[in-house]
Amino acid sequence: MKKLISLLPVIFVVTNIFGQTKLPPPYEITTDTIFHNISLPDSKWQMIADPSGKITFQQILQSGQFQDTDKKINYHIRAYWLRYRFINKMQKEAEIAVDASGMARVDLYLQSEDGSWQHLKSGKDVSWGKRDGLKRAMFIKLTIPAGKEIMVYQRDYFNYLFNSPTPMEGVHFSFTKNVIQQQYVDNTAFYKQIILNSFLLGLILLAIIINLYFFRIVREKEFSYFILFLLGMALQVIAGLNADTISVYPLLSLFIYYIGNIVTFFFFMQFFRHFLKTFSRFPRWDKYLIAVSILFILGFSFSVFGNAVFKANLLRLFWLAPGLPALLYLVFILIMLFFYARKHGMAPKLLALAILPYLCVLLVGLVLELAVIYYSKEAPLSAIQSEVSSLNNFIQLYFEIGVTLSFIWLIVIFSWVLFLRFSMLRKKLALQEVEKEKERSALIAQQKIELEKQVTERTSELKQSLENLKSTQNQLIQSEKMASLGELTAGIAHEIQNPLNFVNNFSEVSTELVDEMKEELAKSKYEDANAIADDLKQNLEKINHHGKRAGDIVKGMLQHSRKSEGKKEPTDINALCDEYLRLAYHGLRAKDKSFNAEFKTDFDSSLPKIDVVPQDIGRVILNLINNAFYAVSEKQKQGIAGYEPTVWVSTKKEGNKILILIKDNGQGIPSAIKEKIFQPFFTTKPTGSGTGLGLSLSYDIIKAHGGGIKVETKEGEGTEFMIQLPFA
Amino acid sequence: MKILVVDDEKDIQALFQQRFRKEIKEHALEFAFAYSGEEALAFMQQHNQEAVLILSDINMPGMSGLELLKRIKEKYEKPPPVVMMITAYGDSENYSTAMQYGADDFLTKPLDFAILKEKLKSIPL
């Protein structure tokens, strides 16, 4: 039975022999002590090239046209199918690991004992989580029980994207424990690289922070460009910091690296252009610089995508394409620095010093690359493989260390230069601030002078308007006086009429008496004549008295209209009140014949004479009495039955004050306007009837005499004004 | 005939006494004087309606002439004294009020004594 089962593959193989080829002989594993990688001898494996890349494992199983090994390099073909066998001749399990690290993707199909197929995969394009075996090292583990044989189908896939497209070399494998030892335990280079890159990244971040601080203060473009340059560098370092471990999709790190490179280069150029002001200082070199930069970006893109796009082995152009422009670019910058340094001391020299090591690293690297290209073209491929490989390793190491160190050097020196520039700019800024401050204070001083001038002008304008106001006020006061005089005229006329009547009557009677006296004298009745003469004398005295009375009235009127320069003189307040009461009453009667009101007086005869300006106080009394009469006459017009319009004028002594009370039973003052009555130009009379200055002037006059005016009023019932005048 | 003259001007007394000196001498007329309405009423009270004619000013402090007229005409009905009003203001309102209160005549200042004498003569007694 066992034989029968084992026959089956034989039949299959036989068909194959007839069809194409038979299975390759198995590779015998006799020991697991070999330390290095083992390449499967060409006789032990077979291959199918898959130009379409679309052949599936099922198709391979059913109709695989495997050929003997053919290592011709054909970069148009990206997928190859391989098959081989292992047989474990040891007494223990053989644990081996197939190398997938050189390829984008490797798929392994293993047949289990029950005939089913197991699928394992790894490679650069396989994301971390999907890799089988040793993920970072990209080795696929196989376990072969003691004495057993295992059949393996392998699919190699190349994408030629940014990796060195090693030609289809066949199968490499190692013993798992050895791989672990080499890649994980003894791999000091790997850890060195991590440490170095981490250090570089830290340095870059530090430089970014410092330059951000500088930029925040001086706001110069070159600082921002330098920061962006450093960011580009940081991207590159991050991409290089074992990208496989940090990216789910490995290609991402490639793009980060690509973008980082371009950013670095572009802003490195911008930094120099702005630092040296090349566009204005060296316009021609500036153009070269830009041209070379474009060349670099093109070259670099070519080196990354060229192999994939053109499907050819452009491996060695990888470094030449961007390297040559970069070199030129650095040389141009050095030339400009040289020109610039002749005039501008320290900074350019330092910058040149900063670039120089990187330039040297690049130059030497380029020479080495050229040597490899030359060497690999001269000798046959198979013969030089190991030498080229070791030279490549050396170049790799050389670049890693050289570039890292020269970058560190560059960053440190650049930061130093920028620090120098920063402190210079800060000094400049401080100086500018001082200048601005000076200008500002000068401006303020000038403004102060102008302001003072304006204030003087305004003050004189204000003075002028004050003068105008004063004279207007005087005119108003005068017109108020004249207005009240107008009100008085009728009263005065009436007052004069009475004494004049007496003068006329007494003089007429006297004429008659003279005739009678003559008759008596003719009759020699001397006694009678004498009696008549006495009467005559009395009459003449009366005439004189009434003439004087009329004269006094006229005098008072003149005094009233005179400008207020009146002197204070001892005045009988009672007489003054009486006089103005009459004037007011008769004045109103004369103006309005229908006017009729009672007035009652109650004068305190014990009042002392006090020092006042009589015509001023008279004016106040007149004004208040006039108002009182006006109020009662207004109320009378309402036609209230039994209403008797009455005005009371009385005087009183109270302590060291004389009180003049003027009371009416008129309409009273509404409380809403009570506060306003002493304001100038406030009046309740119809327009044209009052100036609105009466009470205001009265208030001023009484104030000037050291007294006060109070008002008590009840709407509808009447008003009482009380004037207080002190006496010494 | 007794005449009561009411006026707040005191000199009116001297004036009337001189103007009517002949009549006074001949005892044709007899004059009494009051210087306010109140005084006039008091006089009337005391002298029991001796005065036949009252000459009163209208504008006086305190009781006015019109008030006096009203009182007299109310109080002394039979026979009411003749009351003549004298005023400086010949306005119609004063006149009509005086007439309404029963004034017998209305004279304006300045007094024309010739006319007054004629009027006195015409008063039937």
Side-chain angles (χ1 to χ4, degrees):
Chain A
M1 196 55 198
K2 256 192 179 176
K3 271 195 176 176
L4 226 127
I5 293 168
S6 62
L7 266 176
L8 275 168
V10 174
I11 293 161
F12 181 73
V13 167
V14 168
T15 0
N16 271 352
I17 295 165
F18 278 96
Q20 308 295 331
T21 347
K22 41 179 198 173
L23 282 171
Y27 181 85
E28 291 178 4
I29 299 166
T30 51
T31 173
D32 58 0
T33 52
I34 303 165
F35 189 70
H36 56 80
N37 275 12
I38 302 159
S39 295
L40 212 59
D42 291 350
S43 59
K44 303 282 185 187
W45 56 280
Q46 296 173 336
M47 61 178 276
I48 297 174
D50 174 13
S52 70
K54 284 175 182 167
I55 297 173
T56 63
F57 175 59
Q58 289 306 321
Q59 286 171 329
I60 287 293
L61 265 190
Q62 281 160 20
S63 59
Q65 305 279 315
F66 281 88
Q67 300 162 1
D68 285 335
T69 307
D70 170 19
K71 284 188 184 172
K72 250 187 221 159
I73 299 168
N74 187 342
Y75 291 100
H76 291 280
I77 299 169
R78 302 196 170 195
Y80 296 89
W81 285 91
L82 284 74
R83 67 175 177 192
Y84 48 88
R85 287 184 289 174
F86 288 114
I87 185 158
N88 184 4
K89 295 279 186 179
M90 297 190 296
Q91 296 301 309
K92 54 176 181 179
E93 271 186 345
E95 295 205 333
I96 59 169
V98 176
D99 186 359
S101 64
M103 283 149 284
R105 185 187 172 105
V106 170
D107 292 272
L108 287 190
Y109 296 89
L110 309 170
Q111 192 163 33
S112 311
E113 280 200 46
D114 61 357
S116 68
W117 292 92
Q118 190 189 358
H119 180 200
L120 298 171
K121 57 202 169 291
S122 189
K124 285 177 182 165
D125 272 8
V126 180
S127 64
W128 188 262
K130 286 181 179 165
R131 285 180 196 171
D132 292 307
L134 302 168
K135 293 185 178 188
R136 178 161 65 68
M138 291 180 278
F139 274 75
I140 301 169
K141 288 194 285 181
L142 308 176
T143 306
I144 309 163
K148 293 281 175 185
E149 188 192 284
I150 187 170
M151 175 78 196
V152 182
Y153 282 81
Q154 176 174 349
R155 183 179 184 268
D156 287 355
Y157 180 78
F158 303 89
N159 68 359
Y160 305 135
L161 195 67
F162 196 64
N163 56 354
S164 315
T166 42
M168 224 293 293
E169 286 174 336
V171 182
H172 302 287
F173 74 93
S174 204
F175 289 98
T176 307
K177 57 178 181 182
N178 293 340
V179 176
I180 291 171
Q181 188 67 34
Q182 284 168 15
Q183 297 278 338
Y184 295 89
V185 182
D186 294 337
N187 194 355
T188 49
F190 173 72
Y191 296 109
K192 266 184 205 157
Q193 196 201 343
I194 288 185
I195 291 165
L196 209 58
N197 279 342
S198 302
F199 174 69
L200 192 57
L201 189 63
L203 190 77
I204 290 169
L205 291 178
L206 191 70
I208 287 175
I209 290 166
I210 292 170
N211 282 287
L212 266 175
Y213 170 72
F214 291 166
F215 177 65
R216 215 175 71 86
I217 292 173
V218 294
R219 301 261 158 206
E220 288 278 313
K221 265 188 182 165
E222 55 252 46
F223 287 93
S224 60
Y225 289 138
F226 187 62
I227 290 163
L228 288 166
F229 158 75
L230 288 172
L231 273 175
M233 284 257 255
L235 284 179
Q236 285 186 61
V237 175
I238 288 167
L241 198 66
N242 198 359
D244 296 344
T245 55
I246 56 164
S247 59
V248 176
Y249 188 60
L251 268 182
L252 192 64
S253 67
L254 167 64
F255 284 111
I256 292 174
Y257 178 74
Y258 173 69
I259 289 165
N261 244 296
I262 287 178
V263 167
T264 306
F265 196 83
F266 180 74
F267 287 108
F268 190 72
M269 174 187 77
Q270 286 294 76
F271 166 73
F272 266 100
R273 291 183 65 228
H274 281 88
F275 190 87
L276 300 178
K277 308 268 184 291
T278 55
F279 32 83
S280 57
R281 279 208 186 89
F282 315 104
R284 185 184 289 184
W285 288 103
D286 187 54
K287 272 176 201 157
Y288 294 161
L289 202 62
I290 293 170
V292 168
S293 304
I294 293 166
L295 266 180
F296 169 81
I297 290 168
L298 287 177
F300 182 68
S301 306
F302 177 74
S303 78
V304 173
F305 303 106
N307 285 326
V309 173
F310 298 109
K311 297 178 181 174
N313 187 10
L314 303 167
L315 170 66
R316 292 306 161 189
L317 285 174
F318 170 78
W319 281 110
L320 278 182
L324 213 57
L327 199 68
L328 270 175
Y329 167 87
L330 290 176
V331 170
F332 288 170
I333 286 175
L334 276 176
I335 289 167
M336 281 186 275
L337 280 174
F338 174 73
F339 282 130
Y340 189 68
R342 286 202 307 195
K343 291 175 194 166
H344 295 89
M346 258 308 253
K349 281 173 199 158
L350 277 173
L351 284 183
L353 202 65
I355 303 170
L356 219 52
Y358 182 60
L359 195 68
C360 293
V361 168
L362 218 58
L363 214 60
V364 172
L366 215 66
V367 171
L368 286 172
E369 287 287 329
L370 287 170
V372 171
I373 290 170
Y374 180 76
Y375 190 51
S376 54
K377 269 197 177 160
E378 286 298 295
L381 195 68
S382 55
I384 56 147
Q385 203 140 50
S386 61
E387 284 89 340
V388 168
S389 164
S390 64
L391 192 58
N392 270 340
N393 285 343
F394 173 73
I395 293 171
Q396 185 92 19
L397 193 68
Y398 166 78
F399 270 118
E400 265 171 22
I401 293 172
V403 168
T404 306
L405 286 179
S406 59
F407 267 12
I408 291 170
W409 173 255
L410 188 139
I411 291 166
V412 169
I413 302 292
F414 269 34
S415 293
W416 176 245
V417 169
L418 281 174
F419 170 70
L420 288 179
R421 187 167 173 79
F422 164 73
S423 38
M424 189 197 79
L425 284 171
R426 213 171 50 167
K427 260 184 215 161
K428 218 163 99 183
L429 277 178
L431 274 176
Q432 276 175 359
E433 275 305 304
V434 169
E435 276 303 304
K436 266 189 202 161
E437 190 52 45
K438 269 186 197 163
E439 272 174 37
R440 226 175 284 152
S441 49
L443 196 70
I444 287 169
Q446 202 192 334
Q447 277 173 344
K448 206 174 149 191
I449 292 168
E450 258 173 47
L451 210 64
E452 248 161 44
K453 216 168 101 188
Q454 278 182 354
V455 166
T456 320
E457 275 172 26
R458 295 278 149 81
T459 310
S460 72
E461 277 170 28
L462 281 176
K463 259 186 197 164
Q464 187 57 43
S465 24
L466 193 66
E467 293 292 320
N468 290 347
L469 274 177
K470 270 185 186 165
S471 79
T472 310
Q473 194 189 22
N474 285 337
Q475 280 170 14
L476 276 171
I477 292 169
Q478 190 57 24
S479 59
E480 165 64 19
K481 278 181 204 165
M482 298 316 283
S484 63
L485 188 65
E487 282 169 12
L488 283 180
T489 324
I492 287 165
H494 178 266
E495 283 294 285
I496 292 172
Q497 187 68 48
N498 269 345
L500 282 182
N501 284 345
F502 280 114
V503 169
N504 290 337
N505 277 316
F506 278 117
S507 51
E508 274 172 36
V509 170
S510 296
T511 316
E512 287 168 19
L513 281 181
V514 170
D515 289 343
E516 276 179 39
M517 197 169 75
K518 276 182 179 170
E519 281 170 27
E520 298 297 335
L521 282 175
K523 292 175 198 167
S524 298
K525 285 183 178 175
Y526 294 113
E527 270 184 32
D528 288 345
N530 215 22
I532 294 171
D534 284 345
D535 282 349
L536 266 175
K537 191 187 173 193
Q538 192 197 340
N539 283 3
L540 289 174
E541 277 169 6
K542 300 261 179 223
I543 290 169
N544 189 17
H545 167 72
H546 286 287
K548 270 187 187 163
R549 197 178 140 193
D552 282 349
I553 290 166
V554 172
K555 206 167 88 187
M557 185 177 76
L558 288 176
Q559 264 182 347
H560 184 88
S561 67
R562 214 165 39 200
K563 278 193 181 171
S564 171
E565 286 162 5
K567 284 177 197 158
K568 282 188 178 178
E569 52 191 78
T571 308
D572 180 354
I573 295 295
N574 287 343
L576 199 69
C577 287
D578 192 50
E579 182 189 346
Y580 278 96
L581 177 59
R582 282 168 182 286
L583 285 174
Y585 179 75
H586 292 302
L588 285 169
R589 289 234 28 153
K591 239 194 324 193
D592 176 9
K593 302 254 164 147
S594 69
F595 170 77
N596 200 5
E598 289 236 23
F599 59 87
K600 286 175 181 166
T601 55
D602 177 17
F603 296 135
D604 183 349
S605 57
S606 72
L607 286 192
K609 286 192 172 184
I610 59 169
D611 273 341
V612 291
V613 184
Q615 58 267 39
D616 281 355
I617 298 297
R619 189 178 302 133
V620 174
I621 294 167
L622 176 72
N623 190 274
L624 294 178
I625 292 173
N626 267 339
N627 284 349
F629 278 127
Y630 179 80
V632 294
S633 76
E634 284 297 300
K635 192 172 175 183
Q636 195 181 26
K637 282 176 190 166
Q638 294 173 359
I640 298 163
Y643 175 67
E644 290 184 8
T646 313
V647 171
W648 292 265
V649 178
S650 56
T651 55
K652 240 197 277 183
K653 201 168 85 178
E654 200 180 84
N656 59 349
K657 281 176 188 164
I658 283 177
L659 304 185
I660 305 168
L661 299 152
I662 294 151
K663 189 179 150 189
D664 66 68
N665 61 351
Q667 296 170 301
I669 304 166
S671 54
I673 61 166
K674 195 181 154 187
E675 301 297 319
K676 297 183 191 167
I677 56 171
F678 291 109
Q679 290 173 8
F681 305 109
F682 180 82
T683 179
T684 59
K685 292 178 186 172
T687 316
S689 302
T691 59
L693 283 173
L695 275 179
S696 159
L697 281 177
S698 300
Y699 186 83
D700 292 345
I701 288 167
I702 298 300
K703 276 272 154 189
H705 281 82
I709 296 187
K710 278 185 198 165
V711 60
E712 271 176 37
T713 181
K714 226 172 181 185
E715 230 182 309
E717 288 184 18
T719 305
E720 182 175 44
F721 279 92
M722 184 171 75
I723 302 169
Q724 297 177 328
L725 286 171
F727 59 91
Chain B
M1 186 166 65
K2 196 160 189 176
I3 300 167
L4 177 62
V5 180
V6 188
D7 200 317
D8 58 333
E9 291 277 358
K10 289 189 173 158
D11 279 346
I12 207 85
Q13 186 178 356
L15 187 64
F16 268 79
Q17 279 169 348
Q18 293 198 13
R19 281 285 190 186
F20 293 97
R21 50 189 293 127
K22 270 185 193 166
E23 287 82 355
I24 292 168
K25 239 184 205 172
E26 292 159 8
H27 298 288
L29 293 172
E30 196 183 331
F31 283 95
F33 296 92
Y35 302 114
S36 69
E38 289 87 349
E39 224 176 283
L41 283 179
F43 178 87
M44 299 275 282
Q45 196 82 33
Q46 276 173 23
H47 296 83
N48 200 19
Q49 212 172 344
E50 278 176 17
V52 183
L53 177 68
I54 296 169
L55 283 171
S56 176
D57 189 14
I58 290 180
N59 297 307
M60 288 181 294
M63 187 188 290
S64 76
L66 290 171
E67 180 70 19
L68 179 65
L69 167 69
K70 197 175 151 193
R71 297 264 188 101
I72 290 167
K73 290 289 177 183
E74 276 171 4
K75 198 172 179 183
Y76 306 100
E77 284 185 10
K78 278 195 175 176
V82 176
V83 182
M84 290 186 179
M85 302 308 294
I86 310 165
T87 179
Y89 307 106
D91 56 296
S92 57
E93 199 196 326
N94 262 339
Y95 178 80
S96 61
T97 314
M99 288 303 155
Q100 193 193 322
Y101 288 161
D104 298 273
D105 211 336
F106 195 85
L107 305 169
T108 53
K109 283 182 179 180
L111 271 178
D112 190 323
F113 281 89
I115 293 172
L116 181 61
K117 277 178 187 174
E118 288 300 312
K119 287 204 173 183
L120 289 179
K121 274 178 196 168
S122 68
I123 290 170
L125 283 170

Coordinates of all heavy atoms in Angstrom, one line a residue, chain A residues 117-146:
Chain A
W117 N -1.3 22.1 0.3 CA -0.2 23.0 0.1 C -0.3 24.1 1.1 O -1.3 24.7 1.3 CB -0.3 23.6 -1.4 CG 0.1 22.5 -2.4 CD1 -0.8 21.8 -3.0 CD2 1.4 22.2 -2.8 NE1 -0.2 20.9 -3.9 CE2 1.2 21.1 -3.8 CE3 2.7 22.6 -2.5 CZ2 2.3 20.5 -4.4 CZ3 3.7 22.0 -3.2 CH2 3.5 20.9 -4.1
Q118 N 0.9 24.5 1.6 CA 1.0 25.6 2.6 C 1.6 26.7 1.9 O 2.6 26.6 1.2 CB 1.9 25.1 3.8 CG 1.8 26.1 4.9 CD 2.8 25.7 6.0 OE1 3.6 24.7 5.9 NE2 2.9 26.5 7.0
H119 N 1.1 28.0 2.1 CA 1.5 29.2 1.4 C 2.2 30.1 2.4 O 1.6 30.5 3.4 CB 0.3 29.9 0.7 CG 0.7 31.1 0.0 ND1 -0.2 32.1 -0.4 CD2 1.9 31.5 -0.5 CE1 0.4 33.0 -1.0 NE2 1.7 32.7 -1.1
L120 N 3.5 30.4 2.1 CA 4.2 31.4 3.0 C 4.8 32.5 2.2 O 5.1 32.3 1.0 CB 5.4 30.6 3.7 CG 5.0 29.5 4.7 CD1 6.2 28.7 5.1 CD2 4.2 30.0 5.9
K121 N 4.9 33.7 2.8 CA 5.4 34.8 1.9 C 6.2 35.8 2.7 O 6.1 35.9 4.0 CB 4.2 35.5 1.3 CG 3.2 36.1 2.2 CD 1.9 36.3 1.6 CE 0.8 36.6 2.6 NZ 0.4 35.4 3.4
S122 N 7.0 36.6 2.0 CA 7.8 37.6 2.7 C 8.4 38.5 1.5 O 8.1 38.3 0.4 CB 8.9 37.0 3.5 OG 9.5 38.0 4.3
G123 N 9.2 39.5 1.9 CA 9.7 40.4 0.9 C 9.5 41.9 1.2 O 8.7 42.2 2.1
K124 N 10.2 42.8 0.5 CA 10.1 44.2 0.8 C 8.7 44.8 0.6 O 8.3 45.7 1.3 CB 11.1 45.0 0.0 CG 12.5 44.8 0.6 CD 13.5 45.5 -0.3 CE 14.9 45.3 0.3 NZ 16.0 45.7 -0.7
D125 N 8.0 44.3 -0.4 CA 6.7 44.8 -0.7 C 5.6 44.2 0.2 O 4.4 44.6 0.1 CB 6.3 44.5 -2.2 CG 6.8 45.7 -3.0 OD1 7.6 46.5 -2.5 OD2 6.5 45.7 -4.2
V126 N 5.9 43.2 0.9 CA 4.9 42.6 1.8 C 4.9 43.3 3.1 O 6.0 43.5 3.7 CB 5.3 41.1 2.0 CG1 4.2 40.4 2.9 CG2 5.4 40.3 0.7
S127 N 3.7 43.8 3.5 CA 3.7 44.6 4.7 C 4.0 43.7 5.9 O 3.8 42.5 5.9 CB 2.3 45.3 4.8 OG 1.3 44.3 5.0
W128 N 4.4 44.4 6.9 CA 5.0 43.8 8.1 C 4.1 42.7 8.6 O 4.5 41.5 8.9 CB 5.2 44.9 9.2 CG 5.9 44.4 10.4 CD1 5.3 44.0 11.6 CD2 7.3 44.3 10.5 NE1 6.3 43.6 12.4 CE2 7.5 43.8 11.8 CE3 8.4 44.5 9.7 CZ2 8.8 43.6 12.3 CZ3 9.7 44.3 10.2 CH2 9.9 43.8 11.5
G129 N 2.8 43.0 8.8 CA 1.9 42.0 9.4 C 1.7 40.8 8.6 O 1.4 39.7 9.1
K130 N 1.9 40.8 7.3 CA 1.6 39.7 6.4 C 2.8 38.8 6.2 O 2.8 37.8 5.5 CB 1.0 40.2 5.1 CG -0.4 40.6 5.3 CD -1.0 41.1 4.0 CE -2.5 41.5 4.3 NZ -3.0 42.3 3.2
R131 N 4.0 39.3 6.7 CA 5.2 38.5 6.4 C 5.2 37.2 7.3 O 4.8 37.3 8.4 CB 6.4 39.3 6.7 CG 6.7 40.4 5.7 CD 8.0 41.2 6.1 NE 8.0 42.4 5.3 CZ 8.8 43.4 5.5 NH1 9.7 43.4 6.5 NH2 8.8 44.5 4.7
D132 N 5.7 36.2 6.7 CA 5.9 34.9 7.4 C 7.4 34.8 7.8 O 8.2 35.5 7.2 CB 5.5 33.7 6.6 CG 4.0 33.7 6.4 OD1 3.2 33.8 7.4 OD2 3.5 33.7 5.2
G133 N 7.7 34.0 8.8 CA 9.0 33.7 9.1 C 9.7 34.9 9.9 O 9.0 35.5 10.7
L134 N 10.9 35.1 9.6 CA 11.6 36.2 10.4 C 11.3 37.5 9.6 O 11.8 37.7 8.5 CB 13.1 35.9 10.4 CG 13.5 34.6 11.0 CD1 15.0 34.2 10.8 CD2 13.2 34.6 12.5
K135 N 10.5 38.4 10.3 CA 10.0 39.5 9.5 C 11.0 40.5 9.1 O 11.0 41.0 8.0 CB 8.9 40.1 10.4 CG 7.7 39.2 10.5 CD 6.5 39.9 11.3 CE 5.4 38.9 11.3 NZ 4.2 39.5 11.9
R136 N 11.8 41.0 10.1 CA 12.8 42.0 9.7 C 13.8 41.5 8.7 O 14.2 42.2 7.7 CB 13.4 42.6 11.0 CG 14.5 43.7 10.6 CD 14.8 44.6 11.8 NE 15.5 43.9 12.9 CZ 16.7 43.4 12.8 NH1 17.4 43.5 11.7 NH2 17.2 42.8 13.8
A137 N 14.3 40.3 9.0 CA 15.4 39.7 8.2 C 14.8 39.3 6.8 O 15.5 39.1 5.9 CB 16.1 38.6 8.9
M138 N 13.5 39.1 6.8 CA 12.8 38.6 5.6 C 13.3 37.3 5.1 O 13.8 37.1 4.0 CB 12.9 39.7 4.4 CG 12.0 40.9 4.8 SD 12.0 42.2 3.5 CE 13.5 43.0 3.9
F139 N 13.3 36.3 6.0 CA 13.6 34.9 5.8 C 12.4 34.1 6.1 O 11.8 34.3 7.1 CB 14.8 34.4 6.7 CG 16.2 34.7 6.1 CD1 16.7 36.1 6.1 CD2 17.0 33.7 5.5 CE1 17.9 36.3 5.6 CE2 18.2 34.0 5.0 CZ 18.7 35.3 5.0
I140 N 12.1 33.1 5.2 CA 10.9 32.3 5.4 C 11.4 31.0 6.0 O 12.3 30.3 5.4 CB 10.1 32.1 4.1 CG1 9.7 33.4 3.6 CG2 8.9 31.2 4.4 CD1 9.1 33.3 2.1
K141 N 10.8 30.6 7.1 CA 11.3 29.4 7.9 C 10.6 28.2 7.3 O 9.4 28.1 7.0 CB 10.9 29.5 9.4 CG 11.8 30.6 10.1 CD 11.7 30.4 11.6 CE 10.4 31.0 12.1 NZ 10.3 30.9 13.6
L142 N 11.4 27.1 7.2 CA 10.9 25.8 6.8 C 11.4 24.8 7.9 O 12.5 24.9 8.3 CB 11.4 25.3 5.5 CG 11.2 26.3 4.3 CD1 11.9 25.6 3.0 CD2 9.8 26.5 4.0
T143 N 10.5 23.9 8.2 CA 10.9 22.8 9.1 C 10.8 21.5 8.4 O 9.7 21.1 7.9 CB 10.1 22.8 10.4 OG1 10.1 24.1 10.9 CG2 10.6 21.8 11.4
I144 N 11.9 20.7 8.4 CA 11.9 19.4 7.7 C 12.2 18.3 8.7 O 13.3 18.3 9.4 CB 13.0 19.3 6.6 CG1 12.8 20.6 5.7 CG2 12.8 18.0 5.8 CD1 14.1 20.8 4.8
P145 N 11.2 17.5 8.9 CA 11.4 16.4 9.9 C 12.6 15.5 9.5 O 12.9 15.5 8.4 CB 10.1 15.6 9.9 CG 9.1 16.6 9.2 CD 9.9 17.4 8.3
A146 N 13.1 14.8 10.5 CA 14.3 13.9 10.3 C 14.0 12.9 9.2 O 12.9 12.3 9.3 CB 14.7 13.2 11.6

